[in-house]
Amino acid sequence: MDFNLSGEQQALADSVARFTARDYSFEARRRLIEAGTGLDPQHWQTFAELGWLGAGLAEDAGGYGGGPVENMIIMEGFGRTLVLEPFLPVALFAAQTLAALPASALRDELLTGIVAGDALIVPAHGELAARGAPDHVETTFANGRITGTKSLVIGGHAATQLIVSARSTEGIGLYLVDPAADGVSARRYRLLDNQHAADLQFDEAPVLETLAHPGEGLAAISTGLAHTLTGLCSEAVGAMDTAIRMTRDYITTRRQFGTTLSTFQALQHRMADMLVEMELSRSILYQGIAALDQPGASRDRGLAAMKAIVSSAALFVGRSAVQLHGGIGMTEELAIGHTYRRLFVIAGQFGGESLHLKTLAGLPRSFWQETTSPAAC
Amino acid sequence: MDFNLSGEQQALADSVARFTARDYSFEARRRLIEAGTGLDPQHWQTFAELGWLGAGLAEDAGGYGGGPVENMIIMEGFGRTLVLEPFLPVALFAAQTLAALPASALRDELLTGIVAGDALIVPAHGELAARGAPDHVETTFANGRITGTKSLVIGGHAATQLIVSARSTEGIGLYLVDPAADGVSARRYRLLDNQHAADLQFDEAPVLETLAHPGEGLAAISTGLAHTLTGLCSEAVGAMDTAIRMTRDYITTRRQFGTTLSTFQALQHRMADMLVEMELSRSILYQGIAALDQPGASRDRGLAAMKAIVSSAALFVGRSAVQLHGGIGMTEELAIGHTYRRLFVIAGQFGGESLHLKTLAGLPRSFWQETTSPAAC
Amino acid sequence: MNFDIAPEDEAFRAEVRAFITAHLPPDIARRGQHDYHSAREDVQRWMRILNAKGWSAPHWPARFGGTDWSPLRKYIFQDELRRARAPVLDRCALDLLGPVLCTFGSPQQQARFLPPILNGDEWWCQGFSEPGSGSDLASLRTRADLDGDHYIVNGQKIWTSEAHYADWIFALVRTDQTVKPQAGISFLLIDMKSPGIVRRPIWSIDEGLTLNEVFFDNVRVPAENLIGEPGSGWGYAKFLLTHERTTSAVVSHTKRDVDQVRHLAAHARAGDGLLIDEPAFAAKLARLEAEVIALEWSVMRVLHAAEHDAAGNAVASLLKLRGSELSERAALLAAEALGDHGLAAMPDPEGHHILHGDGLSPGLTDDEAIGVTAKAMFRRATTIYGGASEIQRTLIAKSILGL
Amino acid sequence: MNFDIAPEDEAFRAEVRAFITAHLPPDIARRGQHDYHSAREDVQRWMRILNAKGWSAPHWPARFGGTDWSPLRKYIFQDELRRARAPVLDRCALDLLGPVLCTFGSPQQQARFLPPILNGDEWWCQGFSEPGSGSDLASLRTRADLDGDHYIVNGQKIWTSEAHYADWIFALVRTDQTVKPQAGISFLLIDMKSPGIVRRPIWSIDEGLTLNEVFFDNVRVPAENLIGEPGSGWGYAKFLLTHERTTSAVVSHTKRDVDQVRHLAAHARAGDGLLIDEPAFAAKLARLEAEVIALEWSVMRVLHAAEHDAAGNAVASLLKLRGSELSERAALLAAEALGDHGLAAMPDPEGHHILHGDGLSPGLTDDEAIGVTAKAMFRRATTIYGGASEIQRTLIAKSILGL
């Protein structure tokens, strides 16, 4: 075990910090929101050039040989400044789903496109009734066509290709679909944090390619989702850390009743609890990353525990940060409200605390049961 | 609506306060604990002489014409000084169960015995697997005999007669059983708050009388239980109020770090939350008492809401009171620990927060649906 | 003690409900299901209907156009309005300014200002908070200097709700710089059309507009618009803030929201079943419901308590603290009920004030679902405004517990 | 970064587990399932077995009978002891006094005192707290005045854990009344058999005995029993309190407790099913489990952090705060799992110290259920002792956040 960044990892973190400092000031981000796309092509190009789109991808999958830690570093940095581009669905969800499939010319071509920044491929997997449960897929596949509705496809409005999960009698398969094809319609919307997403409706939409045959798709998309969850929780940790820092700065300068707010013990204690929630989130994030290598149930347990903790921490820290800012925290003009909105979205995305506690409860075991690794502890 | 005590009710409250001041000092209570019975016959005689055993019982049921408010007044007073005698199971649970049965010579004789203080009749209804659910009865009745095990029968060690709920193919009936009969064995124990209880095992135990025929028992025992729940929550409110008062007195006198503890804002805020929990408990207790008159589902809903709130409040206030006392709060020598233990028992007795939220969730309705009474609001 | 509601009060509730059912325009009722602040036109139409019935401001004294209803009946009236999703009225004018005018205003002021309030003709906003004086009103700096028969007002107010709608503002201004901070404050009525007033919208995190900054630059205000005595403004403000002891519980609003959550959960699919049948969600909803019941019965206790009753004050002190928490909890739970769509921005499609007028919103057909997430964001403010929860706890500790 | 445990460390865990399985006497293991403090005889037998293996105090330096295990291995060792429900060893001697003696003791003191600790022959208690100096140690008043080659000790200690078992006490005493409060404190080892020492048991709300008052009335203590320099006791105490940054998390204890809750819930009937299948209970257990995982990974981070690493300190600061909360939560949940029996008093049937020796307890046959409610009551103290949660939060706010 080693909880320190390697030299290369530190360089990556520094690189992310330089990018966000330059391109993601509060004002720059506001302009991007007003532009109404949630995606700056130049940013995406930068992601490709700096190798971030393949930083967490194994070499045999067309990446640069890093892993979930590299993705954690990027996503944590993105969480600090609330990056809007759909990095998570493309570079984690789609890429790791593809990487979990057997190598093939098609797979490798798609991955190459992602890493190069040419292909903005996103999975269309979640559905409203699933509420975050990865195996609830009602969308159907039959005769080369897809029918059903996928919800909250982040980046779905700008995707070049879609990886659609669909069920047939033999189980869940994964299919490549052209979002511009007949039978595909998108209801685009913004999330509370100004990311852009879409609900995608497939009405006998034609499949370009079969990526995973029926019965073989769930494992791959679940692996992609597992990486996505750790990326999302990394983002949460970055956003929480920023929220705490901003709140500390605010209450140490803001004066009321003849003193700074930071002298009030109730506020001090609330900030202590915020810090604790953030650190526990980071701890269980590490655990989640370690769990990615574990066999099925162990992995799912570790990820469920992680998301349950991080979801509640994100809400607590976000709500508390606004509370301690007082009225000014409620305004669009201040960054803290945007951080809260991002944390709110993260808390619910891919299932909130309740769902993941239910998952965890359904996979019981002793702390010492399976292996001796703290990953399973 | 009138939230003030009437003159008679105030006199009753004063009478209870005089009794507890005289007979239930901390030292007197400690001696009663050491005596090892949890029941002082002189106290019981006093209860009878002052009319408390029939204070909440209608006149046509042999009582003095009061109702749940009278029982509330007594139980709240008992909660303040942690009275140990099994007043609740006898004067509320047993008496109100009997009062809910059709009048009969037997019923009236039993009620007369209770009110006179001669008969210490307690229901043996709860079972381990029921976990507070009133309708889970596995104990069976067949051929005039009872078989099964009842748990947590408070006062069961000293009962003169038992009202046993038991199931046969036609439903749940209620049966009068002599605790000294063959086939009845008691495992006596103390609760954490030093009340005495027993698990009662019936092994083909003979029935003295049938109180409610199969299928007619559940309604009566549920009514008895409903009154018991409001009595228990009254006791909780009294105990919480005392805990808050003792804690306030402690932190306003105890000095640390050169000042009194009461000057620390974190402690002030915790005490504010304790007060709020207590007042909300009192409010929902009133609601629960109003609900006693409502038809079936409305009553059960009101009582479930009440017990859920009071259970969590009791734990919060009790735990917080010990916390604010610090180490001294953990000792047998101080009253506050005993108050916590009583509040802990109340929180779990007849089902804790989870059970009652489940009950409430199972009986949904709009706030404005049924009647316009705040009792159903 | 008697916890039963009188039959006459039940009959009164039925009467109110029947009136609302008969008179609330269906289009307004439908928009009332959405979780946005009502547009001025809707409020105005509804106020005129109520005013025709004499029900615009039941809590005012009857001689000023109010009623002599008991506190319980006033509560029932408001409760039925929320149940029906009727527009929330101009609270600044009706609940805050109105009682001050009725009590401390001159007959001329009463005659001039009360009738247009009752009819929804003139709208008001409250100018108390200033930058740098969040929960600490005594430090306010906006000044009004007498110049002949006019005051010249200079300064800035902030967090001014609905100032973009308002025709008038009632403001706390400092008319005497020489005395102790609280003693130099006066209560002044200012026409928002006066030259020198500038409003700046403050967009909030729900992407909606309710708050504003208001700047005063040598604004001339007739001296006759000062309420009562100069230097007594602090007392009127305290009267105003404590006059209604139960509205801060917003309990009827939250009851409406709990019903909304139940509706949404009963229509939201969760796996192969419905969300309402998911034990974890059902338990959260039940817990919320139980807490709202406890809150409402606390309101009942206060409504029936004498004004200076110590026990009543103890209960009253919790209403804002817990009421605001439950208000946000209900909104968050409604958003959770919407699942994926509970993460989407929902700017008011029919509103006049939209920060991002891009029309991007998920395709919702259930009126009860529209605006839910905007409300969830907006309600983050409930434990901040009107005395933050931290202030409330300190108040309880000091005034009720004597710490 | 690398979050995988090394294979050699996994092998080490297997080795420890195998040793414990082979050597922990079955009767002790059975009693270890009960939720009471272990009796001295059990601890002593077990310590001698460990000592024969050289494992009594792995965290001491090897030259004093400890090991050179990595922090992770020391953790794994303790973790396996808890898993096996082995008796909790004499923590005062091993974890608190031992490191002080090893670091600041004279060679004579080390030779005299360390071996009997390792073999469980001499037991220690800690005399820090005094009446009136709960979390405020600098105000202590017990004094030790030099009289030739002896100190004369007068005063009183309180909250002295296991003093009824202890052969010796290490105490903070004031040897200099003339200097600033913290500068006059020394660290003294006192034989509990000395004339003038009186112990008074403090029964706690679990009806058990772990705490005592200790009174000193002109107790003569050889001056050679003073550790290090006179007046430096405050520094040694701080060393002792911060030496082990992770034990205050009691995470292995709570892991054991979570397993216990799962066992109890899997055997407890609830209606027609099992409690473990009740969604509300299962969710509470899952939430607890997830928090314990987060806590354990926080421990991992501290174990692998350099001693003065700022990030490590931030994490270390939460271990006591959250560890103590989870410890109580686990015990409360275990009691809840027992249903009606979770409300019953359970004085230790095999214990030597019972307040009410009436033997009244429900008929429990599952060893894992015995003592559960006593533990639930005792654990109320976890957020109080060793720096109450309020103190911990203030520490975090000040030292980590700089407020």
Side-chain angles (χ1 to χ4, degrees):
Chain A
M1 283 187 159
D2 178 1
F3 291 90
N4 299 303
L5 297 178
S6 70
E8 284 184 22
Q9 290 167 340
Q10 187 60 56
L12 175 60
D14 294 343
S15 164
V16 173
R18 273 194 305 276
F19 164 74
T20 54
R22 192 192 60 202
D23 283 25
Y24 257 96
S25 69
F26 184 68
E27 262 313 297
R29 182 174 183 274
R30 197 181 54 73
R31 285 193 300 273
L32 184 50
I33 290 172
E34 285 171 2
T37 59
L39 175 56
D40 180 336
Q42 286 197 316
H43 289 166
W44 202 260
Q45 195 53 40
T46 303
F47 299 168
E49 283 166 10
L50 295 175
W52 298 350
L53 291 163
L57 208 52
E59 286 181 18
D60 61 13
Y64 300 115
V69 172
E70 280 67 28
N71 281 332
M72 176 188 84
I73 291 165
I74 296 169
M75 289 304 300
E76 186 181 333
F78 282 8
R80 291 182 189 281
T81 50
L82 312 176
V83 166
L84 292 164
E85 280 79 9
F87 183 89
L88 187 77
V90 176
L92 278 83
F93 199 178
Q96 295 291 341
T97 298
L98 291 168
L101 294 170
S104 71
L106 171 63
R107 183 201 84 149
D108 295 348
E109 180 196 325
L110 294 171
L111 281 167
T112 303
I114 287 176
V115 172
D118 299 331
L120 208 144
I121 306 174
V122 298
H125 173 59
E127 304 182 6
L128 261 186
R131 305 186 76 85
D135 57 350
H136 186 91
V137 172
E138 298 177 20
T139 298
T140 56
F141 170 79
N143 306 319
R145 294 184 176 270
I146 303 263
T147 297
T149 304
K150 298 291 187 178
S151 59
L152 200 74
V153 182
I154 296 184
H157 64 298
T160 56
Q161 291 119 305
L162 301 167
I163 300 171
V164 185
S165 59
R167 184 181 289 282
S168 54
T169 46
E170 298 84 19
I172 294 170
L174 299 178
Y175 306 94
L176 198 68
V177 174
D178 178 357
D182 277 352
V184 183
S185 59
R187 168 86 184 203
R188 180 176 163 196
Y189 50 93
R190 275 182 304 118
L191 301 191
L192 284 165
D193 60 358
N194 282 302
Q195 290 188 88
H196 285 249
D199 288 354
L200 297 172
Q201 195 174 326
F202 302 91
D203 186 8
E204 299 268 322
V207 160
L208 291 175
E209 304 277 357
T210 293
L211 293 167
H213 289 288
E216 292 165 8
L218 185 60
I221 198 97
S222 294
T223 296
L225 187 57
H227 284 264
T228 305
L229 285 173
T230 59
L232 189 68
C233 290
S234 308
E235 193 177 0
V237 168
M240 281 191 263
D241 195 33
T242 298
I244 290 168
R245 202 165 27 75
M246 289 191 294
T247 306
R248 184 191 58 194
D249 292 349
Y250 180 78
I251 70 168
T252 50
T253 50
R254 165 81 171 161
R255 297 181 67 82
Q256 205 163 27
F257 302 107
T259 179
T260 59
L261 288 179
S262 58
T263 60
F264 291 101
Q265 193 179 42
L267 275 51
Q268 294 175 354
H269 284 198
R270 175 84 84 112
M271 283 223 68
D273 284 333
M274 291 162 69
L275 183 83
V276 168
E277 290 291 332
M278 187 270 284
E279 290 292 354
L280 288 171
S281 294
R282 185 183 290 282
S283 297
I284 208 161
L285 165 64
Y286 293 163
Q287 177 270 162
I289 290 175
L292 287 173
D293 291 335
Q294 298 279 320
S298 278
R299 183 191 69 182
D300 294 345
R301 201 154 46 217
L303 295 170
M306 173 188 71
K307 186 59 168 48
I309 293 290
V310 173
S311 284
S312 62
L315 272 181
F316 175 76
V317 171
R319 294 180 57 247
S320 298
V322 174
Q323 180 73 25
L324 296 194
H325 274 79
I328 193 87
M330 283 297 295
T331 65
E332 274 272 335
E333 298 162 31
L334 213 68
I336 194 67
H338 294 268
T339 305
Y340 167 50
R341 285 150 73 175
R342 179 81 198 111
L343 286 168
F344 179 91
V345 169
I346 289 174
Q349 224 176 321
F350 303 111
E353 182 189 358
S354 293
L355 174 97
H356 290 283
L357 288 183
K358 190 175 153 185
T359 303
L360 188 59
L363 301 166
R365 63 90 181 70
S366 159
F367 277 103
W368 291 276
Q369 186 180 302
E370 285 176 5
T371 92
T372 58
S373 157
C377 277
Chain B
M1 283 186 159
D2 179 0
F3 291 90
N4 298 302
L5 296 177
S6 70
E8 282 183 23
Q9 289 166 342
Q10 187 60 56
L12 175 60
D14 294 343
S15 163
V16 174
R18 273 195 305 275
F19 163 74
T20 54
R22 192 192 59 202
D23 282 25
Y24 256 96
S25 69
F26 184 67
E27 261 313 298
R29 183 175 183 272
R30 196 181 56 72
R31 285 193 300 272
L32 183 51
I33 291 172
E34 285 169 4
T37 59
L39 175 56
D40 180 336
Q42 287 196 315
H43 290 166
W44 203 260
Q45 195 53 39
T46 302
F47 299 168
E49 283 165 10
L50 295 176
W52 298 350
L53 291 164
L57 207 54
E59 286 182 17
D60 61 14
Y64 300 115
V69 171
E70 279 68 26
N71 281 331
M72 176 188 84
I73 291 165
I74 296 169
M75 289 305 300
E76 186 181 333
F78 282 10
R80 291 182 188 280
T81 50
L82 313 176
V83 165
L84 292 164
E85 280 79 8
F87 183 88
L88 186 77
V90 176
L92 278 83
F93 199 178
Q96 295 292 341
T97 298
L98 291 169
L101 294 171
S104 71
L106 171 63
R107 183 200 85 148
D108 295 348
E109 180 197 323
L110 293 171
L111 281 167
T112 303
I114 286 176
V115 172
D118 300 329
L120 209 145
I121 306 175
V122 298
H125 174 58
E127 303 182 6
L128 261 186
R131 303 187 76 86
D135 56 351
H136 186 92
V137 171
E138 298 178 19
T139 299
T140 56
F141 170 78
N143 305 321
R145 293 184 177 271
I146 305 262
T147 298
T149 305
K150 298 291 187 177
S151 59
L152 200 75
V153 181
I154 296 184
H157 65 298
T160 55
Q161 290 119 308
L162 301 167
I163 300 171
V164 184
S165 60
R167 184 179 289 282
S168 53
T169 47
E170 298 85 19
I172 294 169
L174 299 178
Y175 306 93
L176 197 68
V177 174
D178 177 358
D182 276 354
V184 183
S185 58
R187 169 87 183 202
R188 180 177 164 196
Y189 51 92
R190 273 183 304 118
L191 300 191
L192 284 165
D193 60 358
N194 281 303
Q195 289 187 90
H196 285 250
D199 287 353
L200 297 172
Q201 195 173 327
F202 302 90
D203 186 8
E204 301 268 321
V207 160
L208 291 174
E209 303 277 357
T210 293
L211 294 167
H213 288 288
E216 293 164 8
L218 184 60
I221 198 99
S222 295
T223 296
L225 187 56
H227 283 264
T228 304
L229 285 173
T230 60
L232 189 68
C233 290
S234 308
E235 194 178 358
V237 168
M240 281 191 262
D241 195 35
T242 298
I244 290 168
R245 201 164 29 73
M246 288 192 294
T247 306
R248 183 190 60 193
D249 292 349
Y250 180 78
I251 71 168
T252 50
T253 50
R254 163 81 172 163
R255 296 182 68 83
Q256 204 163 27
F257 302 107
T259 179
T260 59
L261 288 179
S262 59
T263 60
F264 290 101
Q265 193 179 41
L267 274 51
Q268 294 174 354
H269 284 199
R270 175 84 85 110
M271 283 222 70
D273 285 333
M274 291 162 69
L275 184 83
V276 168
E277 289 291 332
M278 187 270 284
E279 290 292 355
L280 288 171
S281 294
R282 185 184 291 280
S283 297
I284 208 161
L285 164 64
Y286 294 164
Q287 178 268 165
I289 290 175
L292 286 173
D293 290 336
Q294 299 279 320
S298 278
R299 181 191 71 183
D300 294 345
R301 200 154 49 219
L303 294 171
M306 172 188 72
K307 186 58 169 47
I309 293 289
V310 174
S311 284
S312 61
L315 271 181
F316 174 77
V317 172
R319 293 180 58 246
S320 298
V322 174
Q323 180 73 25
L324 296 193
H325 274 79
I328 194 88
M330 284 296 295
T331 65
E332 275 273 334
E333 297 162 31
L334 213 69
I336 194 67
H338 293 269
T339 305
Y340 168 49
R341 287 150 72 175
R342 179 81 198 111
L343 286 168
F344 179 92
V345 169
I346 290 174
Q349 223 177 323
F350 302 113
E353 182 190 0
S354 293
L355 173 97
H356 290 283
L357 288 184
K358 190 175 153 185
T359 302
L360 189 60
L363 300 167
R365 62 89 181 72
S366 159
F367 277 103
W368 292 276
Q369 184 180 303
E370 286 177 5
T371 93
T372 57
S373 157
C377 277
Chain C
M1 280 191 161
N2 165 22
F3 306 134
D4 298 327
I5 200 163
E8 313 86 70
D9 290 324
E10 299 207 32
F12 173 79
R13 186 186 281 274
E15 179 194 347
V16 172
R17 188 175 296 189
F19 175 82
I20 297 172
T21 304
H23 293 92
L24 181 64
D27 64 316
I28 294 184
R30 185 183 61 77
R31 282 191 290 277
Q33 293 180 50
H34 305 175
D35 284 311
Y36 309 104
H37 290 245
S38 297
R40 176 162 170 160
E41 304 86 86
D42 281 359
V43 180
Q44 223 154 18
R45 276 170 66 198
W46 178 233
M47 281 194 77
R48 284 165 191 172
I49 293 167
L50 288 176
N51 198 31
K53 175 79 175 172
W55 284 1
S56 264
H59 54 295
W60 291 6
R63 65 194 176 95
F64 293 120
T67 69
D68 49 9
W69 293 344
S70 68
L72 176 62
R73 291 203 177 180
K74 292 173 191 165
Y75 173 82
I76 289 172
F77 177 72
Q78 296 296 337
D79 200 47
E80 286 296 318
L81 289 179
R82 290 319 307 143
R83 174 185 173 277
R85 278 84 162 135
V88 176
L89 306 183
D90 178 7
R91 190 171 168 266
C92 277
L94 292 167
D95 293 355
L96 302 178
L97 177 63
V100 170
L101 272 176
C102 294
T103 310
F104 303 106
S106 67
Q108 293 78 7
Q109 289 168 336
Q110 290 165 346
R112 163 65 187 85
F113 292 111
L114 293 176
I117 290 177
L118 287 175
N119 206 43
D121 295 336
E122 282 182 356
W123 279 38
W124 288 80
C125 59
Q126 168 184 286
F128 282 12
S129 291
E130 298 187 4
S133 70
S135 296
D136 181 15
L137 274 184
S139 68
L140 62 84
R141 290 182 298 183
T142 295
R143 58 191 296 159
D145 301 295
L146 203 56
D147 175 26
D149 56 358
H150 281 73
Y151 283 102
I152 313 296
V153 179
N154 282 285
Q156 178 189 355
K157 295 291 179 181
I158 195 168
W159 313 128
T160 314
S161 293
E162 314 292 353
H164 51 294
Y165 280 158
D167 305 296
W168 285 80
I169 184 169
F170 56 95
L172 290 182
V173 293
R174 192 170 293 287
T175 47
D176 188 340
Q177 314 291 329
T178 63
V179 293
K180 274 195 269 183
Q182 297 181 10
I185 294 172
S186 298
F187 197 109
L188 195 61
L189 313 182
I190 307 173
D191 189 337
M192 287 293 279
K193 293 186 296 295
S194 311
I197 290 186
V198 172
R199 317 174 211 209
R200 193 182 76 81
I202 302 175
W203 297 101
S204 49
I205 62 173
D206 58 320
E207 304 189 356
L209 176 59
T210 54
L211 301 171
N212 300 265
E213 286 180 288
V214 182
F215 299 88
F216 301 87
D217 179 18
N218 286 316
V219 176
R220 292 182 67 80
V221 181
E224 67 200 38
N225 285 3
L226 189 126
I227 298 282
E229 296 300 316
S232 299
W234 180 257
Y236 306 149
K238 273 179 61 179
F239 168 86
L240 163 163
L241 291 172
T242 58
H243 186 71
E244 233 313 352
R245 298 205 294 175
T246 61
T247 50
S248 66
V250 292
V251 69
S252 299
H253 288 75
T254 308
K255 283 163 65 180
R256 178 266 181 199
D257 294 337
V258 170
D259 278 2
Q260 177 194 42
V261 174
R262 192 179 290 110
H263 167 88
L264 294 173
H267 291 81
R269 294 184 46 221
D272 298 323
L274 294 173
L275 182 62
I276 194 78
D277 298 320
E278 279 283 307
F281 191 91
K284 269 194 273 195
L285 178 56
R287 174 75 206 181
L288 176 66
E289 180 177 337
E291 290 187 57
V292 172
I293 293 171
L295 183 70
E296 181 167 43
W297 277 80
S298 300
V299 168
M300 289 296 136
R301 290 168 65 193
V302 176
L303 289 178
H304 291 83
E307 197 154 338
H308 296 292
D309 176 46
N313 288 335
V315 185
S317 70
L318 70 83
L319 297 182
K320 162 67 169 73
L321 179 62
R322 282 307 175 91
S324 58
E325 288 172 4
L326 294 178
S327 172
E328 187 191 11
R329 281 239 313 274
L332 292 173
L333 203 56
E336 185 179 332
L338 293 185
D340 282 350
H341 289 162
L343 309 177
M346 297 183 192
D348 185 356
E350 305 183 43
H352 303 277
H353 297 281
I354 303 173
L355 181 59
H356 298 292
D358 51 16
L360 295 181
S361 177
L364 303 171
T365 52
D366 185 344
D367 281 308
E368 292 275 9
I370 293 172
V372 158
T373 62
K375 181 174 69 175
M377 291 297 103
F378 187 75
R379 291 274 179 90
R380 182 72 286 279
T382 54
T383 59
I384 296 172
Y385 62 56
S389 292
E390 291 78 10
I391 307 277
Q392 300 293 334
R393 287 196 178 85
T394 297
L395 273 175
I396 293 172
K398 293 195 184 299
S399 67
I400 310 296
L401 289 164
L403 296 178
Chain D
M1 281 191 161
N2 166 22
F3 305 135
D4 298 327
I5 200 163
E8 314 85 71
D9 290 324
E10 300 208 29
F12 172 79
R13 187 187 281 274
E15 179 195 346
V16 172
R17 189 176 295 187
F19 175 83
I20 296 172
T21 305
H23 293 93
L24 180 64
D27 63 316
I28 294 183
R30 185 182 63 76
R31 280 190 292 275
Q33 294 180 50
H34 304 175
D35 284 311
Y36 308 104
H37 290 245
S38 297
R40 176 162 170 159
E41 304 86 84
D42 280 359
V43 181
Q44 221 154 17
R45 275 169 68 197
W46 178 232
M47 281 195 76
R48 285 165 189 171
I49 294 167
L50 289 176
N51 197 32
K53 175 79 175 172
W55 284 2
S56 264
H59 54 296
W60 291 6
R63 66 194 173 95
F64 293 119
T67 69
D68 48 11
W69 293 345
S70 68
L72 177 61
R73 291 202 178 181
K74 291 172 192 165
Y75 174 81
I76 289 172
F77 177 72
Q78 296 296 336
D79 201 46
E80 286 295 319
L81 290 180
R82 290 318 307 142
R83 175 185 172 277
R85 279 85 160 133
V88 176
L89 305 184
D90 178 7
R91 186 168 171 268
C92 277
L94 292 167
D95 294 354
L96 302 178
L97 177 63
V100 170
L101 272 176
C102 294
T103 309
F104 303 107
S106 66
Q108 292 77 8
Q109 289 169 334
Q110 290 165 345
R112 164 65 188 84
F113 292 112
L114 293 176
I117 290 177
L118 287 176
N119 205 45
D121 294 336
E122 283 182 355
W123 280 39
W124 286 81
C125 60
Q126 168 184 285
F128 282 11
S129 292
E130 298 188 3
S133 70
S135 296
D136 181 13
L137 273 186
S139 68
L140 62 84
R141 290 184 298 183
T142 295
R143 58 191 295 161
D145 300 295
L146 202 56
D147 176 26
D149 56 358
H150 279 72
Y151 284 102
I152 313 296
V153 179
N154 281 285
Q156 178 189 356
K157 295 292 178 180
I158 195 169
W159 313 130
T160 314
S161 292
E162 313 294 351
H164 51 295
Y165 280 158
D167 305 296
W168 286 80
I169 184 169
F170 57 95
L172 291 181
V173 293
R174 192 169 293 286
T175 48
D176 189 340
Q177 315 291 329
T178 64
V179 293
K180 275 195 271 183
Q182 296 180 9
I185 293 172
S186 298
F187 196 109
L188 194 61
L189 314 182
I190 307 173
D191 188 338
M192 287 291 279
K193 293 185 298 295
S194 310
I197 291 185
V198 172
R199 317 173 210 210
R200 192 182 76 84
I202 303 175
W203 296 100
S204 49
I205 63 173
D206 58 321
E207 305 190 353
L209 177 59
T210 55
L211 301 171
N212 301 265
E213 286 181 287
V214 182
F215 299 88
F216 300 87
D217 179 18
N218 286 315
V219 176
R220 293 183 66 82
V221 181
E224 68 200 38
N225 284 3
L226 188 128
I227 297 284
E229 296 299 316
S232 298
W234 181 257
Y236 306 148
K238 273 180 61 180
F239 169 87
L240 162 163
L241 292 172
T242 59
H243 185 70
E244 233 312 352
R245 298 205 293 176
T246 61
T247 48
S248 66
V250 293
V251 68
S252 298
H253 288 75
T254 308
K255 283 164 65 180
R256 178 264 180 201
D257 293 338
V258 170
D259 277 2
Q260 177 195 42
V261 174
R262 192 178 290 111
H263 167 88
L264 294 173
H267 291 81
R269 294 183 48 220
D272 297 325
L274 294 173
L275 182 61
I276 194 78
D277 298 319
E278 278 283 307
F281 191 90
K284 271 194 270 194
L285 178 56
R287 174 76 206 180
L288 176 66
E289 181 178 337
E291 291 188 56
V292 172
I293 293 172
L295 184 70
E296 180 166 44
W297 277 79
S298 300
V299 168
M300 289 296 135
R301 291 169 65 193
V302 176
L303 288 178
H304 290 83
E307 197 154 338
H308 297 290
D309 176 46
N313 287 337
V315 185
S317 70
L318 70 83
L319 296 182
K320 161 66 167 74
L321 179 62
R322 283 307 174 91
S324 58
E325 289 172 3
L326 294 178
S327 171
E328 188 190 12
R329 282 240 311 275
L332 292 173
L333 203 55
E336 186 178 333
L338 294 186
D340 282 350
H341 289 162
L343 308 178
M346 297 184 192
D348 185 357
E350 304 182 45
H352 303 279
H353 298 281
I354 304 173
L355 180 59
H356 299 295
D358 52 15
L360 295 182
S361 177
L364 303 172
T365 53
D366 185 343
D367 281 308
E368 292 276 7
I370 293 171
V372 158
T373 62
K375 181 173 70 174
M377 290 298 104
F378 187 74
R379 291 274 179 89
R380 183 71 285 278
T382 56
T383 59
I384 296 172
Y385 61 57
S389 292
E390 291 79 10
I391 306 277
Q392 301 293 332
R393 287 195 177 87
T394 297
L395 273 174
I396 293 172
K398 294 195 183 298
S399 67
I400 310 295
L401 289 164
L403 297 177

